[in-house]
Amino acid sequence: MILAALGLLTLFLFPMWRITLIAPQYPDGVTMHIWINKIGGETASTIQNINILNHYVGMKYIDQESIPELKYFPYIVIGMVVFGLIAAATNKKGLFLIWGIVMVLLAIAGIYDFYLWEYDYGHNLSDTAPIKVPGASFQPPLIGSKLILNFTAKSYPHISGYIAGLSILLAFSAWWLKSKFNKKHEKIAATDSIGDGNARRLSTVA
Amino acid sequence: MKSHQGLLPFLSFLFTAAGLFLVSSCGNQGSTTQQQGALGNDAASQVYVAPGEYDEFYAFMSGGFSGQIGVHGLPSGRLFKVIPVFSVDAEKGYGFNEETKPMLNTSHGFVPWDDSHHPELSQTNGETDGRWIFINGNNTPRIARIDLTTFETAEIIEIPNSGGNHSSPFTTENTEYIVAGTRFSVPVPQSDVAINSYAETFNGMLTYVSVGDEGEMDIAFQILLPAFDYDLAHSGKGKSHGWTFFTTYNTEQKNTLLEVTASQNDKDFIAAINWKKAEEYIQQGKFKEMPANWAHNVYNEKTHTATSTMKKKVKVLTPEDCPGLVYFLPTPKSPHGVDVDPTGEYIVGNGKLSADLTVHSFTKMIAAIEAGSFETTVAGIPVLKFEDVVAGVVKDAGLGPLHTEFDGKGNAYTSFFITSEVVKWKVGTWEVLDKASTFYSIGHLMIPGGDSKKPDGKYLVALNKITKDRYLPTGPELCHSAQLYDISGDKMKLLLDFPTIGEPHYAQGISADKIVPNVKKFYPLEENEHPYRTMGEKDTRVERDGKNVHIYMTSIRSHFAPDNIEGVKVGDKVYLHLTNLEQDWDVPHGLAVMGANTGELLVMPGQTETMVWEPKSEGVIPFYCTDFCSALHQEMQGYIRVSPRSSNIALKWSLGEEEPVQ
């Protein structure tokens, strides 16, 4: 449970999602990184280059200052780290389960929010856009790959996104190990076999 | 006149030989084409570089009288870039924009052209390292350094007390120095003397230019020598590291009709310079400080601006005061190129008026010097005995040997101008192994690394002066050409024949691996220190200072900011400082202003360049982007309103009045 809680801190070290645009004249691709607290890219100039592309079809400029989620998400994450550490310290399997479920709900909320932003960027186009494609949307895929005009857009979780997912799995594993240990403990009340001890310790660490 | 008559049989023999060859080669044209046709498929696959693939080598071909460098790929022969070096280039704004004008400053003022002959890659431990390429300016003596991370000219240094910088800029093993020997001896210092006082009042001068860790050049010292023509040079390597060899002609010291008068001596000299000794003499203070006047021009990659500084002194060593500094090696018939084999042992003197090649031994030279065995002295310089230093002679290989390069497998390849051929011979046994015709009149030849310690003996490029009937005709002026040979086998095989810019006088080749990883894609905007930079559209503005109007303009796909400017008046001097805000690979923007008496600007991402425009009449002047940048490139345009001098219209600038600037 400790690893699950601390794993969330990697959200501040690595991007959690990435969207890559691929076209022949961009041999290296253009890769945008979404962090818990900022929008970045593979290079310092990636966002400028994406904005230059987007303005032809009238998409809004991507400006991290205009996305409030980037301001308050970090506090939620820190809250969840603290909650997770308390759960580990008190070693209550109920808390492990609650932490895991809250994380799943937060992830669903986060991904839905991400979808709303994508929808907004992809559909809410300027009336004065130089290039207008009737009926076209420029919304990147939520997850997966999609052809948008001359670009293939690929959207997938990135390093810290995967680690956060692993944290949720770890929390549920901790809950499961703990349950297993408690059940055995009830059956053989006197003994504390090595394996059972490991499961108990493992659940705390996980 | 007697001497002329003595030479006539020889000269007529030369011309007859050359004439016969031209006639016979024309006659053979059909059969050579057929021969190539037979080889055609095989050769085609060897030079085919599929679309999107990279060539294995870079070839840097001098532009000769174009003053520039052409960057080609091998084996395809494709031309990638013309690097402006000594000549103005309106296409790139080089020498036209305010930032690069100082690059072409000299002690004679702004010189917009030169004749660039010998590109020379920097070396580490005798191997090409891909940091820089140097090239000489032959006419107004200069050396330029090109940075191979940007492929732009970074520095130009003028060589004082020189009358034509031909034996230049050949490097030492670790690019400690590059050299500059004067082709034309002149009065040193320059003075008003009778031309026919040549032998008494003229001098030759050799110059050592030091190269620092960042490539920065400085004149370390000069060596004052007799008034000969110093033709070509190469520095020693390995065992001969510490020495440089310069060929001479006109040891007759004549000043008129040199084709005859300077071809009389049976032997001229190769001057061997012990530059490590020269360093000691400089340390000991055995130099004279001479007044001189030379320009040192440096382009700063942060300010994107060149500065020109005039230097007023130079340290000169004279052989009389510095024993052991210079020796002369007698070498037959006006030797042209002097080439040192990869081991550093053999020094090849290409006697251009001879059928033979003379090869000296470095070991024998040192032994002769230590034995003090001299034939005579000339101007206080010991002349070694020919038989003491000669290692061997390549006999009857062809006519008019000019230059030799090596393949690193014990073979040498020499160009023969008069007989238009490359001759392959064995170093050490001096036997001729193979001959291949060139079309026509080969000067230099080049093997990648072929003048270094570690040649890449896969391809050889012949650099030809004359093409005659080789390509579709283009009027009286025809292109020069390069020809690519496969030298990986026993026999040389002609693969490809392609035109080059100007004259491909000499070239250098290098494995692309040594350069590609270091090439810059754009200039980071945050590092831009140009005094007139504009870091974003919110900083764009127009300022008036008397009659000078400074426009701080930016470009980004697909607009200039500002693009509507009013308040400029007839008689103003308008400085358009354009900063390209792009930060992506291959997105330059150009700027052209109707009626501007200058070249365009071509601004790389993150760079700032300045155009000066002096409007002469009132009206509304359009400007636009010249480098096709985007789908809306054609919309990338603007207007500047020019009002009469008496008008009191205020300066006003804008971009997109209906929509706020992003």
Side-chain angles (χ1 to χ4, degrees):
Chain A
M1 194 58 218
I2 295 170
L3 284 180
L6 294 180
L8 293 188
L9 289 176
T10 60
L11 287 167
F12 295 97
L13 299 176
F14 303 103
M16 57 182 182
W17 210 274
R18 67 171 159 189
I19 299 175
T20 303
L21 302 173
I22 298 163
Q25 66 271 45
Y26 290 84
D28 301 332
V30 184
T31 301
M32 180 168 92
H33 288 158
I34 300 165
W35 299 59
I36 195 69
N37 55 352
K38 62 183 175 186
I39 306 279
E42 216 158 48
T43 70
S45 46
T46 299
I47 297 304
Q48 170 173 316
N49 293 333
I50 290 176
N51 280 333
I52 288 170
L53 290 171
N54 287 356
H55 96 284
Y56 290 120
V57 291
M59 291 168 74
K60 279 196 289 196
Y61 272 62
I62 299 169
D63 174 12
Q64 59 181 28
E65 298 307 312
S66 70
I67 304 173
E69 285 87 334
L70 298 173
K71 298 271 190 309
Y72 64 77
F73 269 12
Y75 294 108
I76 295 175
V77 169
I78 290 167
M80 287 307 290
V81 172
V82 172
F83 176 20
L85 290 175
I86 290 169
T90 55
N91 204 11
K92 293 226 166 64
K93 72 165 184 168
L95 285 183
F96 295 1
L97 185 63
I98 293 170
W99 192 88
I101 291 169
V102 172
M103 277 300 295
V104 169
L105 293 176
L106 281 174
I108 292 170
I111 289 169
Y112 181 65
D113 185 59
F114 175 49
Y115 172 83
L116 290 182
W117 276 108
E118 283 193 337
Y119 186 90
D120 182 48
Y121 275 108
H123 290 82
N124 192 0
L125 305 174
S126 165
D127 292 337
T128 59
I131 299 173
K132 292 197 183 89
V133 185
S137 114
F138 304 100
Q139 182 179 357
L142 189 60
I143 183 161
S145 179
K146 182 183 165 193
L147 191 68
I148 306 174
L149 294 189
N150 57 327
F151 282 95
T152 301
K154 291 185 172 177
S155 174
Y156 292 103
H158 206 30
I159 302 167
S160 70
Y162 286 117
I163 294 174
L166 202 64
S167 287
I168 295 173
L169 284 180
L170 279 172
F172 285 120
S173 306
W175 168 75
W176 179 73
L177 285 167
K178 185 94 181 142
S179 307
K180 205 173 108 184
F181 167 76
N182 286 351
K183 253 180 220 166
K184 281 202 176 174
H185 203 66
E186 281 158 24
K187 276 180 193 165
I188 316 154
T191 57
D192 186 6
S193 75
I194 292 162
D196 290 341
N198 280 347
R200 187 166 53 97
R201 278 191 290 276
L202 214 56
S203 71
T204 312
V205 173
Chain B
M1 287 309 282
K2 259 183 192 165
S3 60
H4 290 202
Q5 279 167 359
L7 196 75
L8 273 176
F10 180 66
L11 281 179
S12 61
F13 162 68
L14 281 188
F15 290 128
T16 311
L20 274 177
F21 180 75
L22 284 180
V23 170
S24 67
S25 68
C26 286
N28 282 342
Q29 185 60 28
S31 63
T32 44
T33 307
Q34 275 165 15
Q35 274 171 12
Q36 283 167 259
L39 286 171
N41 292 334
D42 190 17
S45 67
Q46 276 186 268
V47 300
Y48 181 69
V49 177
E53 301 276 307
Y54 282 174
D55 279 279
E56 187 181 350
F57 295 96
Y58 280 102
F60 296 93
M61 309 244 179
S62 80
F65 43 72
S66 88
Q68 320 293 48
I69 290 180
V71 185
H72 293 257
L74 295 179
S76 74
R78 297 178 295 186
L79 174 66
F80 304 136
K81 182 175 183 178
V82 175
I83 305 173
V85 184
F86 293 116
S87 297
V88 295
D89 183 350
E91 171 194 331
K92 295 176 168 64
Y94 184 81
F96 289 94
N97 61 43
E98 295 307 294
E99 286 75 11
T100 53
K101 278 178 186 169
M103 289 303 280
L104 300 176
N105 189 40
T106 72
S107 61
H108 309 271
F110 182 84
V111 177
W113 169 89
D114 214 308
D115 184 18
S116 61
H117 274 204
H118 310 118
E120 178 82 346
L121 287 159
S122 56
Q123 294 186 6
T124 304
N125 298 322
E127 287 180 41
T128 57
D129 58 24
R131 289 182 293 169
W132 314 296
I133 192 159
F134 302 91
I135 193 163
N136 62 322
N138 202 27
N139 179 52
T140 304
R142 285 174 283 177
I143 294 176
R145 177 174 59 87
I146 289 92
D147 183 331
L148 292 181
T149 66
T150 58
F151 286 63
E152 300 285 350
T153 304
E155 193 175 357
I156 292 180
I157 195 168
E158 189 180 2
I159 311 294
N161 298 324
S162 176
N165 185 31
H166 193 259
S167 38
S168 180
F170 305 97
T171 185
T172 56
E173 199 170 273
N174 294 299
T175 315
E176 293 95 339
Y177 300 100
I178 46 174
V179 300
T182 188
R183 178 170 156 209
F184 310 117
S185 285
V186 287
V188 177
Q190 274 289 8
S191 56
D192 172 27
V193 296
I195 296 171
N196 64 12
S197 70
Y198 181 98
E200 298 80 46
T201 57
F202 286 40
N203 272 106
M205 190 70 97
L206 306 182
T207 305
Y208 279 73
V209 174
S210 61
V211 181
D213 290 340
E214 301 301 315
E216 65 278 18
M217 298 189 286
D218 194 12
I219 295 181
F221 55 87
Q222 296 193 309
I223 302 173
L224 191 72
L225 290 179
F228 305 153
D229 287 40
Y230 294 85
D231 202 8
L232 277 153
H234 262 109
S235 283
K237 45 179 92 86
K239 63 170 79 168
S240 51
H241 180 55
W243 291 78
T244 310
F245 306 96
F246 289 86
T247 47
T248 67
Y249 62 98
N250 194 22
T251 52
E252 296 85 350
Q253 301 198 304
K254 301 297 181 193
N255 52 279
T256 183
L257 194 61
L258 262 67
E259 65 169 321
V260 175
T261 59
S263 303
Q264 297 306 301
N265 287 350
D266 191 41
K267 292 189 178 69
D268 295 280
F269 299 128
I270 288 175
I273 311 292
N274 186 341
W275 59 260
K276 292 242 165 145
K277 200 95 179 168
E279 286 179 335
E280 289 171 23
Y281 285 126
I282 292 290
Q283 285 257 310
Q284 292 163 17
K286 294 231 171 141
F287 58 85
K288 278 180 216 144
E289 203 158 65
M290 276 181 63
N293 192 22
W294 50 283
H296 185 204
N297 310 331
V298 180
Y299 184 83
N300 181 318
E301 210 182 290
K302 296 282 188 279
T303 62
H304 303 288
T305 303
T307 48
S308 180
T309 314
M310 295 310 297
K311 303 285 181 74
K312 298 291 178 191
K313 277 185 278 194
V314 69
K315 291 172 183 168
V316 177
L317 297 171
T318 38
E320 287 92 336
D321 305 335
C322 304
L325 180 63
V326 188
Y327 297 93
F328 284 144
L329 283 61
T331 306
K333 301 310 303 176
S334 302
H336 189 58
V338 53
D339 302 291
V340 181
D341 87 309
T343 68
E345 167 63 12
Y346 295 113
I347 303 142
V348 182
N350 304 269
K352 69 170 183 274
L353 304 182
S354 156
D356 299 338
L357 279 171
T358 305
V359 185
H360 297 303
S361 156
F362 179 73
T363 311
K364 289 177 83 173
M365 181 191 93
I366 294 296
I369 290 169
E370 282 170 1
S373 159
F374 306 130
E375 191 175 288
T376 178
T377 57
V378 170
I381 297 162
V383 180
L384 300 172
K385 289 177 185 155
F386 179 71
E387 53 278 12
D388 282 356
V389 293
V390 72
V393 175
V394 183
K395 290 255 177 227
D396 300 323
L399 257 188
L402 291 186
H403 301 280
T404 300
E405 297 237 325
F406 304 88
D407 65 1
K409 294 178 268 190
N411 303 309
Y413 300 77
T414 301
S415 58
F416 285 79
F417 179 77
I418 297 169
T419 47
S420 282
E421 60 188 344
V422 177
V423 174
K424 177 182 178 181
W425 51 274
K426 187 119 195 106
V427 178
T429 68
W430 327 119
E431 63 185 309
V432 172
L433 301 175
D434 189 26
K435 290 187 177 195
S437 293
T438 67
F439 306 90
Y440 309 99
S441 303
I442 181 175
H444 279 266
L445 43 68
M446 180 275 275
I447 294 169
D451 67 342
S452 74
K453 264 163 101 170
K454 207 172 170 192
D456 225 327
K458 190 171 179 182
Y459 299 113
L460 178 148
V461 181
L463 302 159
N464 301 321
K465 312 291 187 192
I466 293 171
T467 54
K468 300 274 183 194
D469 56 350
R470 296 294 289 181
Y471 302 107
L472 289 173
T474 54
E477 193 200 357
L478 302 171
C479 62
H480 291 207
S481 83
Q483 286 184 299
L484 183 74
Y485 295 81
D486 176 358
I487 56 163
S488 59
D490 288 341
K491 296 282 170 196
M492 292 177 273
K493 192 168 91 176
L494 178 60
L495 299 177
L496 184 70
D497 173 313
F498 57 96
T500 64
I501 58 155
E503 175 210 11
H505 188 93
Y506 180 46
Q508 289 260 284
I510 184 170
S511 169
D513 300 339
K514 291 187 186 172
I515 290 181
V516 171
N518 305 321
V519 175
K520 289 183 181 153
K521 293 186 170 178
F522 57 82
Y523 300 101
L525 187 63
E526 68 271 17
E527 292 176 12
N528 185 325
E529 292 169 12
H530 193 292
Y532 292 97
R533 69 190 179 274
T534 311
M535 298 300 267
E537 289 189 357
K538 62 181 188 314
D539 298 327
T540 56
R541 62 199 184 277
V542 183
E543 291 174 355
R544 176 178 285 284
D545 173 20
K547 282 191 170 183
N548 293 335
V549 176
H550 291 274
I551 301 177
Y552 293 77
M553 186 185 270
T554 64
S555 61
I556 198 160
R557 281 161 289 171
S558 303
H559 58 264
F560 292 104
D563 66 1
N564 280 206
I565 298 162
E566 298 193 354
V568 170
K569 297 175 194 174
V570 172
D572 280 343
K573 191 170 186 181
V574 182
Y575 292 82
L576 294 115
H577 308 287
L578 178 62
T579 301
N580 184 352
L581 297 178
E582 303 280 359
Q583 291 287 276
D584 201 359
W585 196 17
D586 199 11
V587 197
H589 289 292
L591 175 65
V593 178
M594 189 177 90
N597 300 101
T598 185
E600 66 161 345
L601 296 182
L602 188 63
V603 192
M604 298 304 124
Q607 205 177 29
T608 303
E609 286 187 357
T610 303
M611 178 194 288
V612 170
W613 167 57
E614 293 171 271
K616 291 176 187 65
S617 55
E618 56 206 65
V620 178
I621 302 298
F623 62 91
Y624 71 99
C625 174
T626 52
D627 190 326
F628 207 112
C629 58
S630 64
L632 294 158
H633 163 72
Q634 209 67 348
E635 284 72 14
M636 196 161 168
Q637 59 184 31
Y639 291 106
I640 304 177
R641 177 180 172 185
V642 181
S643 305
R645 190 78 230 154
S646 56
S647 119
N648 50 11
I649 291 178
L651 280 177
K652 189 177 144 206
W653 61 95
S654 63
L655 166 73
E657 276 159 318
E658 288 84 20
E659 274 195 87
V661 176
Q662 287 288 355

